[in-house]
Amino acid sequence: MRFQRRQLLRTLSFAFGSSFILGRNQLGIAAQTAAPPKLSPPPAGVAVRDGIAGGTEMEKVTGIGGFFFRAKDPKALGLWYQQHLGVSVIPTSSEDSAWQQEAGPTAFAPFKETSDYFGDPQKVWMLNFRVRDLDKMAAQLQAAGIAVKIDPQSSPYGRFARLHDPEGNPIELWQPPKPAAPR
């Protein structure tokens, strides 16, 4: 599992820049050990260079606008996410507000279908939520009777914990490292 996390986070460092994830004293190590992610070639007849397609800047998505999935009991599961993680479901009226994310890095990484990173091989997705304070979040969940396993090792990318929602779907909590103080 640690190798796959390292591979995922290495890809993140390329997507967002090594200085975004690593401290200044670790940049040389990352530059020497990391390999850029493999990208599919552009469709035939389309010239793409450095995010520029056909001489104009490529339009890109700005973030995740929604996450939709099947559930045995959608109402109960939506309530669980709202009560324990603060994630609001789609508003049912104009008076209700949608869940608002804080700006920050978002990992987007397909895994091999044989990966055991999600735990149960029948599960095909895993949510990763950024948190400000992993210890406080874990204590809050544990006080509600939810099992949380905090990874005892911290990495240059931050700290991680695992839990499962009531339907057994894997959830990873990620506390990114605090930015280094300017020198």
Side-chain angles (χ1 to χ4, degrees), residues 15-27:
F16 295 105
S18 294
S19 62
F20 182 79
I21 294 177
L22 302 175
R24 294 180 194 272
N25 60 343
Q26 297 167 314
L27 288 176

Side-chain angles (χ1 to χ4, degrees), residues 39-170:
L39 301 174
S40 300
V46 176
V48 177
R49 288 183 322 277
D50 301 322
I52 299 174
T56 61
E57 187 161 341
M58 183 177 121
E59 188 65 25
K60 299 175 186 173
V61 298
T62 59
I64 295 174
F67 182 75
F68 307 97
F69 57 99
R70 292 183 175 101
K72 293 174 186 142
D73 187 345
K75 191 172 237 169
L77 194 58
L79 185 60
W80 184 89
Y81 275 90
Q82 190 163 351
Q83 288 177 335
H84 299 292
L85 298 175
V87 177
S88 307
V89 294
I90 297 173
T92 55
S93 73
S94 59
E95 290 84 41
D96 296 333
S97 60
W99 174 49
Q100 296 290 315
Q101 298 182 60
E102 292 182 10
T106 301
F108 181 85
F111 281 74
K112 288 185 177 183
E113 68 180 343
T114 57
S115 172
D116 63 351
Y117 193 66
F118 305 160
D120 180 352
Q122 299 300 311
K123 301 299 179 183
V124 295
W125 59 268
M126 179 180 71
L127 288 169
N128 174 295
F129 290 113
R130 271 177 281 135
V131 298
R132 279 186 287 259
D133 188 322
L134 186 64
D135 295 318
K136 283 185 181 178
M137 177 61 84
Q140 171 183 301
L141 292 165
Q142 290 166 339
I146 299 166
V148 179
K149 183 180 178 196
I150 298 176
D151 187 335
Q153 278 193 294
S154 185
S155 78
Y157 308 107
R159 299 178 57 220
F160 296 87
R162 286 288 183 95
L163 65 138
H164 292 85
D165 73 16
E167 294 194 5
N169 298 307

